[in-house]
Amino acid sequence: MRVRSPIVLSVLCNDSLTGITSERSKRPTRPVAVVETKPTAFAYVVARIARLTNSADLPATDHKGALKGAQLMTLPPSLKPGIWGAVIGAAAISILGFSLFGWTFGGTAEQMAKERAQAAVVDVLAPICVERFRQQPDAPGKLTEFNKASLWDRRLIIERGGWATVPGTGAPNSAVATACAERLGRPL
């Protein structure tokens, strides 16, 4: 038997020449000799790798074959300012968007839409309430009595009279009653 190279022998024996013990037997493993026969593809690749690589280039491993220490991926130095720029830019556009550009979350937009719809309904129904109040019999006398009442009582007078009740509903709309009371309380 003829051994080709100690490097090939070391690679094939899993570092048995260095005296590393196996976990099972706690004794040194025996080196395996390479018999010179026709070279196979595997032997060719191992020989090429053994000749081209320096042992300092190979990562350090422990006796189980695991890498010693954490080997982290290195990033180019120009990437760090780019990442920070993206993070700061995203934060800046978010702050500007929500404060100056009028961006809102879905729940806030829905709440604003409901408030605007309610305000539009009140704006339409308040003049109808005023006209219904003025069309009742003895309207000038009731208007004088209405103006003598306190602000809280004015809304209650409108609600009790039924002028703030929207057709199709059984109860008066308090927002319509408040708007109607404000319009009736203004001087003409």
Side-chain angles (χ1 to χ4, degrees):
M1 286 189 183
R2 183 172 156 207
V3 176
R4 285 185 170 213
S5 152
I7 295 174
V8 174
L9 181 64
S10 175
V11 169
L12 294 177
C13 296
N14 196 10
D15 288 330
S16 61
L17 290 178
T18 59
I20 297 175
T21 59
S22 65
E23 283 296 313
R24 282 188 238 148
S25 64
K26 297 289 183 193
R27 60 184 171 168
T29 57
R30 294 177 165 184
V32 176
V34 176
V35 179
E36 190 162 332
T37 61
K38 279 186 169 179
T40 63
F42 176 71
Y44 178 75
V45 170
V46 169
R48 293 290 291 167
I49 291 172
R51 280 190 216 133
L52 295 177
T53 59
N54 187 355
S55 63
D57 295 338
L58 297 174
T61 58
D62 61 2
H63 67 280
K64 294 181 182 175
L67 291 175
K68 288 183 182 175
Q71 290 191 355
L72 300 175
M73 182 175 74
T74 57
L75 298 175
S78 63
L79 190 61
K80 187 175 182 181
I83 291 173
W84 277 111
V87 168
I88 292 169
I93 196 68
S94 297
I95 291 169
L96 287 174
F98 283 106
S99 63
L100 296 177
F101 301 142
W103 295 355
T104 58
F105 291 110
T108 307
E110 189 173 323
Q111 180 183 0
M112 288 170 45
K114 285 180 182 177
E115 289 172 0
R116 287 182 182 168
Q118 179 67 25
V121 167
V122 169
D123 286 345
V124 169
L125 294 178
I128 296 171
C129 172
V130 171
E131 285 302 314
R132 289 174 65 190
F133 182 85
R134 289 188 178 155
Q135 289 177 355
Q136 68 177 334
D138 191 26
K142 295 219 179 191
L143 186 59
T144 307
E145 188 179 311
F146 176 80
N147 287 330
K148 290 181 184 178
S150 68
L151 293 175
W152 289 102
D153 291 337
R154 289 180 182 180
R155 186 176 62 91
L156 292 174
I157 291 171
I158 298 293
E159 285 180 357
R160 288 185 194 142
W163 300 295
T165 303
V166 179
T169 62
N173 188 332
S174 62
V176 173
T178 304
C180 184
E182 287 176 4
R183 290 185 185 202
L184 285 172
R186 290 186 206 154
L188 295 175

